[in-house]
Every structure is written in C-alpha cells, then in structure tokens.
Amino acid sequence: MEGARQARAHVARLDLSAAQVAVLDGQAHTARALWNLLHEYCTFRQGRLATVKDCDTAIRQARREIDWMGQLPAQAAQAVLKTYWQAWANFFDPGHPAGRPTFKSRSRSRLAVDVPQARDLQVTRVNRRWGAVSLPKVGRVRFRWTRDLPGVTRGGPAGRITGARLVKDAFGWQIVFRTERQVPAPAAHPGPGVGVDRGVTVALALSDGTMREHGAWLRDGERQRLRRLENKSARQRAARPPRQPASRRLARTYDRIARLRATAKRRAVDWQHRTTTELARTYGVVVVEDLQITTMVRSATGTIDNPGRNVRQKAGLNRSIAGEAWGRTVTLLEYKIRDRGGLVVKVPARWTSQTCHRCGHRDPAARDGIRYACVNPGCGWAGHADTNAAINIRNAAGTVVSGRGDLGAARSAKRQPPRAA
C-alpha cells in the first residue's frame, strides 16, 4: 500500500530562566521590526518593485550596520523574509482568504521566532518529564515532554523533525516542533455518515439525534474575576493622561486579563480536540454547512446615515459565535478524518434550519428557539430544531460544495441522492 507524507505540529512548554526570556523577547521584537522594515521597503519603494534578492541584500546590509538587528539569528531573519513573501502570494491567490500584508503592531502582534533548521535544535530526552533543545543565541533549554517526537527516542515513531517555531502567549514561551512522518495510506473508513449542525445553544447537533455540548469555559469565580479586572482596566485607562504609554499597573492588569482569556481558549481547544477525535473514530463521512463565518459575525452598527438595529443583541451573538470557534472545529475534523480514511463534506447552508426534513416544507415560523414544529398539516413533525437542521445537512450531501479526504469518497458523495430520515 502506497504511503503518504504526514506533517504535524507538536507544542511543548519551555522552561526558561529570566535571562533566556529576555533574549527571546528581544529576538521576537527584532523579527517584528524586520517585518515592518521589509513592508516599508517593498511598498514605499520608488520605481520598480523590490525582488526577493533585493530584500535579502537589504537584510544582510542592515545586519552589518545596525547593532540590534544582530539579536535575531540569520536563519530566523531569512524565515521572516520567506513568511513575508508567502503573505503576498496568499494575497494574490484568488482562492485564498488572506488580506493584504500590513505593518505589525507592537501591542497586538504575537511574539514569535522561527528556527527553520532542524539540525540546530539537537533534541534529546532528559527524563520521563523533560526534554532538551538547543536554541540559537539562547543555549540549551528544557521543555516539557508529553509525547514522543519522531526520530528522537529509540523505539519511538519513525520520522524526523523539520524545524520549530517559538511562540509566546499569556503563559510564557512555547516551542512548536514541525514533524514529518511517512505513514501508510489509510483504508476506507467503515463508519456511517452523519450531518453536524454547529450552533450556539447546542455546540454540535448530530443527525442521529445525539449532541455534543460543553459548559462555560471559565468557572463562576473566574468569570467574576475577569469582570473585576476589565472594570479595573477601564478605570486605569480613564486616569491615564492622553497619548501616554500604559503604566506598569495597567500592563499587569492586561496580563491578568490575557491569562484568564488564554485559560478559556485552552479549555475550548481541549474540548474541540477530544470531540473531533471521537467523531473521526466513529463516522466515516461527516457533512457540515459551508458557513461564511466572517460575514456572519460582522457588526450591525451601521453608519450615521443608516444606523443598525438590535446592535447589542447582534454583538452578543457575534461573541458567542466567536467563542465556539466553528471554523477551528471543522479544521480539526478534516485532518483527523482524513488520517482515518474518512471524508468531511461541505454543503450549502441555506434553509437547513427552516425546512422540515421529513416533508421538505419550508416556513421560518416553524422554528421557535430550539424547537421545530412543521406547520404542514400532512406532516406535523416536531422535535429539536438543531437535530432537524443536522438531518437536512446530511441529506444535502448530494449538493456537495467541497470535500476534504478521499477523492473517491467525495465523488460518491456528489452522486448520492438526498435521503429522508
């Protein structure tokens, strides 16, 4: 059976000293400044457009003439250039949703440094809990060992580490290993097909009548603490003189808010990973709506001449949709099902929540909150609205928009006629 190359990422927490944190912070800020210099050099250049060679020459000259540019390793600087040009390629690609590259703000951009050469890492396992890695201009650093890395431990998974990326979040610095393995092509998934409706009241409703739900990402005490910190930051901002940088007290408040929000995100991602893994193991074909999430969460404020209506209610709905991270759920589901020989199919989202799956009658008045009651006198079906939508999504597999996974399964899904429950 012919194999395939499988690229994956593994995140591990770094154990750094205060001096090492300062070094990595300096490298990340230098990488951000280099991005901004490249953007200025390319967009404000007079005459012909700059080429990759022009940018590379400019970077080498800057590293010789500007002292602080030397904080960033040479390979990491080349990675910034490569990422910048890839951003332009994504922008000019008609099928890619990326926008035009812009300058990176110090306060809003994420601190990150690339280590593109795997030979520089020299990854070893120290003991059961810790591994060690070499970082350029930082030295030998320990990281939390939670999973065997390809090509590192004897008897571990076959493969290799192709590089890494250092990323800082509210909990500190982490290392993201890029790994590559040669795996056999998966056999066709024997599981049944299912439609999945993504919602706010119910996170995931399946066409077989089951649901996947979760509680609040933060506990009651954590939510109250977050509310107090947000009120405190508002008072501190009001007391700050205009056009003055944030005080250390305000910065500490921001850090505490960021840590609570990062805690909520970690719990959300953990639930999504566990839930999508369970779905990928159980079902061979998962049908979801092809949602335009960016359009759905647009503000309803409107303009001065044409102000919006129910702005506060729409803002609350937008926050709920963003908190569910529907796009990330499908992204996780796609690669997990593909690894198991299954398929994720996207179908048009129109009318799925207003149509009765049994008789096909469509009426917006049939849905009242989470309850759906068909108004067709000859049908009269009643049940959970999200389950009804999930069945309609499963039945719409014959009008597939796109499929991720086995191409043969995608073609058979396109030929599949709509089915009644």
Side-chain angles (χ1 to χ4, degrees):
M1 185 179 298
E2 185 180 356
R5 189 173 62 180
Q6 184 186 82
R8 289 290 180 268
H10 173 63
V11 184
R13 176 170 55 87
L14 291 173
D15 183 27
L16 301 171
S17 65
Q20 291 171 331
V21 169
V23 172
L24 282 182
D25 286 351
Q27 290 185 11
H29 285 301
T30 303
R32 178 191 56 82
L34 178 58
W35 173 285
N36 291 339
L37 290 173
L38 282 171
H39 190 57
E40 183 178 4
Y41 182 72
C42 292
T43 55
F44 292 94
R45 184 183 175 91
Q46 305 238 344
R48 65 181 179 86
L49 294 175
T51 63
V52 177
K53 184 178 179 180
D54 294 333
C55 293
D56 180 65
T57 303
I59 290 175
R60 294 175 185 273
Q61 183 178 355
R63 288 177 59 82
R64 288 193 300 267
E65 297 177 356
I66 305 175
D67 292 339
W68 55 266
M69 288 286 290
Q71 297 182 70
L72 188 65
Q75 294 294 337
Q78 292 298 317
V80 174
L81 174 59
K82 181 179 179 181
T83 305
Y84 178 74
W85 278 99
Q86 185 60 48
W88 278 111
N90 294 340
F91 171 66
F92 287 117
D93 183 0
H96 202 284
R100 182 185 179 90
T102 59
F103 291 103
K104 289 190 176 183
S105 166
R106 181 185 180 92
S107 59
R108 295 182 179 273
S109 59
R110 194 177 191 184
L111 296 182
V113 180
D114 263 306
V115 186
Q117 299 292 341
R119 65 172 182 267
D120 297 335
L121 297 173
Q122 301 176 12
V123 181
T124 58
R125 184 169 187 177
V126 178
N127 53 40
R128 184 171 63 90
R129 294 180 178 272
W130 296 97
V133 61
S134 295
L135 303 180
K137 296 183 180 290
V138 177
R140 201 71 176 160
V141 175
R142 295 198 312 168
F143 66 90
R144 191 71 170 86
W145 190 280
T146 56
R147 181 182 300 174
D148 286 339
L149 295 170
V152 176
T153 55
R154 181 178 299 177
R160 64 191 183 101
I161 297 174
T162 60
R165 182 174 176 85
L166 309 174
V167 180
K168 188 176 185 180
D169 63 5
F171 295 95
W173 281 96
Q174 301 177 78
I175 184 169
V176 184
F177 291 103
R178 293 189 286 265
T179 64
E180 185 179 275
R181 293 194 300 166
Q182 196 75 15
V183 297
H189 198 299
V194 70
V196 177
D197 178 65
R198 292 164 285 173
V200 175
T201 305
V202 176
L204 300 176
L206 276 58
S207 58
D208 58 7
T210 62
M211 298 180 182
R212 306 296 185 271
E213 300 181 78
H214 59 77
W217 303 128
L218 292 177
R219 305 183 188 94
D220 292 339
E222 291 171 331
R223 289 201 299 269
Q224 294 174 8
R225 183 166 177 255
L226 178 60
R227 191 178 302 112
R228 288 197 301 269
L229 288 171
E230 289 174 340
N231 293 336
K232 182 179 180 180
S233 69
R235 293 193 301 270
Q236 291 172 332
R237 288 196 304 271
R240 184 180 60 182
R243 295 185 294 277
Q244 292 296 320
S247 64
R248 292 184 179 180
R249 290 183 179 180
L250 179 56
R252 283 197 298 270
T253 305
Y254 282 155
D255 290 342
R256 293 167 183 167
I257 292 174
R259 193 174 182 88
L260 282 172
R261 290 177 176 171
T263 299
K265 181 178 179 180
R266 284 192 171 191
R267 291 171 182 169
V269 172
D270 177 70
W271 180 85
Q272 287 177 314
H273 269 293
R274 289 187 285 106
T275 303
T276 53
T277 299
E278 182 257 327
L279 293 177
R281 289 172 177 170
T282 306
Y283 302 100
V285 178
V286 176
V287 189
V288 297
E289 294 172 298
D290 186 28
L291 298 176
Q292 303 300 320
I293 301 175
T294 304
T295 304
M296 295 175 63
V297 297
R298 283 180 180 170
S299 174
T301 304
T303 62
I304 296 177
D305 297 332
N306 187 21
R309 295 181 300 174
N310 299 326
V311 176
R312 291 179 64 86
Q313 293 87 335
K314 182 63 168 62
L317 177 62
N318 290 349
R319 284 193 296 270
S320 299
I321 294 175
E324 292 297 330
W326 291 341
R328 186 169 61 213
T329 299
V330 174
T331 300
L332 297 176
L333 201 54
E334 283 176 339
Y335 84 82
K336 292 180 180 182
I337 285 189
R338 183 171 61 245
D339 290 348
R340 293 167 173 81
L343 174 70
V344 172
V345 178
K346 293 183 179 180
V347 299
R350 201 175 185 185
W351 313 124
T352 54
S353 63
Q354 299 178 5
T355 304
C356 176
H357 73 273
R358 178 170 292 178
C359 67
H361 182 75
R362 183 170 70 240
D363 190 342
R367 177 164 185 168
D368 182 16
I370 62 173
R371 179 171 174 79
Y372 186 93
C374 184
V375 296
N376 184 7
C379 177
W381 183 89
H384 201 287
D386 292 337
T387 301
N388 175 72
I391 297 174
N392 285 326
I393 292 169
R394 185 200 65 188
N395 294 343
T399 57
V400 57
V401 174
S402 65
R404 293 291 185 90
D406 180 71
L407 294 179
R411 285 191 287 268
S412 64
K414 292 180 182 179
R415 294 194 297 267
Q416 179 181 358
R419 297 170 298 174

